[in-house]
Amino acid sequence: QQQVKQSPQSLIVQKGGIPIINCAYENTAFDYFPWYQQFPGKGPALLIAIRPDVSEKKEGRFTISFNKSAKQFSLHIMDSQPGDSATYFCAASKGQAGTALIFGKGTTLSVSS
Amino acid sequence: GAVVSQHPSWVICKSGTSVKIECRSLDFQATTMFWYRQFPKQSLMLMATSNEGSKATYEQGVEKDKFLINHASLTLSTLTVTSAHPEDSSFYICSAPRGGSYEQYFGPGTRLTVT
């Protein structure tokens, strides 16, 4: 049973485009939703995260939109660059701070120049 | 962000031998660390939760006698793959939450190849 469903599996955009990656969850106990970026052969790096008390959070070119009633959240990358080409994972956790993350299956993003 | 290191970054071993992977939090103390496994082009799968000073908690389907975890200090957790077999070849990654924070920081990963 997949607790966090991520789509699309892969995405190709042109430089300057705005790729959008979506995630959905079922467990209403989840209360922390981070996004990670991973390059081949490297560990995931935390990009941005949100908690259910806000509907949107922006950090630099990265924005999370959160819809609590729909149990969905998404990552938008503004003015995408070739250097953004990587695999992106959404995740969720529940309960107190520092609990294990449940990951989506990942989205491979390619930004063409 | 916080820094988590892993050693070694890659290791090749023969079938039947054991391999130890270290995970260190360099600039913060971590009472809890997590170990994940990632197969090529797949997501991260949680293997176990490592707790300082107590036994690790393993996810369903993960053999605790095969994947030994020791969290001996507030900055170090080790994962030992015992009697490794080719199917254990994978990318092993640890993570640690900074104390009291939801944010988790991942190590750079260890590529294990069992021949």
Side-chain angles (χ1 to χ4, degrees):
Chain A
Q1 180 183 0
Q2 189 181 350
Q3 297 194 50
V4 180
K5 294 183 178 181
Q6 183 172 346
S7 64
Q9 184 175 353
S10 62
L11 190 55
I12 301 173
V13 299
Q14 289 192 329
K15 179 181 176 181
I18 306 176
I20 301 172
I21 305 170
N22 301 297
C23 282
Y25 63 97
E26 288 295 326
N27 192 337
T28 55
F30 287 145
D31 61 358
Y32 175 68
F33 305 90
W35 285 90
Y36 284 84
Q37 178 189 59
Q38 186 180 32
F39 293 103
K42 305 295 183 183
L46 179 62
L47 271 179
I48 186 172
I50 199 167
R51 301 212 49 217
D53 52 346
V54 296
S55 60
E56 185 175 282
K57 183 175 181 180
K58 183 175 181 179
E59 288 185 3
R61 295 186 295 110
F62 302 97
T63 299
I64 298 179
S65 296
F66 185 82
N67 186 329
K68 187 175 180 178
S69 60
K71 292 184 285 186
Q72 295 176 347
F73 58 108
S74 60
L75 176 70
H76 302 231
I77 305 175
M78 306 301 177
D79 187 27
S80 59
Q81 301 296 314
D84 296 328
S85 298
T87 299
Y88 293 81
F89 293 96
C90 64
S93 67
K94 58 185 177 181
Q96 60 186 1
T99 54
L101 294 169
I102 307 298
F103 282 87
K105 289 193 172 184
T107 297
T108 301
L109 171 66
S110 295
V111 181
S112 62
S113 54
Chain B
V3 180
V4 176
S5 70
Q6 282 185 242
H7 177 80
S9 56
W10 59 271
V11 57
I12 302 173
C13 70
K14 292 188 175 182
S15 185
T17 61
S18 296
V19 173
K20 180 184 285 187
I21 303 170
E22 293 185 349
C23 176
R24 293 182 185 273
S25 54
L26 297 184
D27 54 354
F28 65 101
Q29 294 182 331
T31 56
T32 300
M33 291 183 175
F34 301 99
W35 287 95
Y36 294 83
R37 181 166 53 183
Q38 186 178 35
F39 292 106
K41 298 191 183 300
Q42 293 190 22
S43 187
L44 288 82
M45 296 300 297
L46 179 67
M47 297 177 65
T49 301
S50 172
N51 301 297
E52 189 269 335
S54 65
K55 290 185 178 181
T57 304
Y58 291 83
E59 295 300 300
Q60 190 173 9
V62 177
E63 300 175 58
K64 62 180 181 181
D65 295 330
K66 180 171 184 63
F67 298 99
L68 301 180
I69 292 173
N70 184 14
H71 196 145
S73 77
L74 288 172
T75 60
L76 173 64
S77 174
T78 60
L79 168 68
T80 301
V81 183
T82 63
S83 187
H85 290 284
E87 57 265 32
D88 299 323
S89 299
S90 188
F91 194 50
Y92 292 86
I93 315 172
C94 68
S95 75
R98 186 187 281 261
S101 168
Y102 281 85
E103 296 179 348
Q104 282 195 35
Y105 298 92
F106 283 79
T110 296
R111 173 75 59 194
L112 170 63
T113 301
V114 184
T115 61

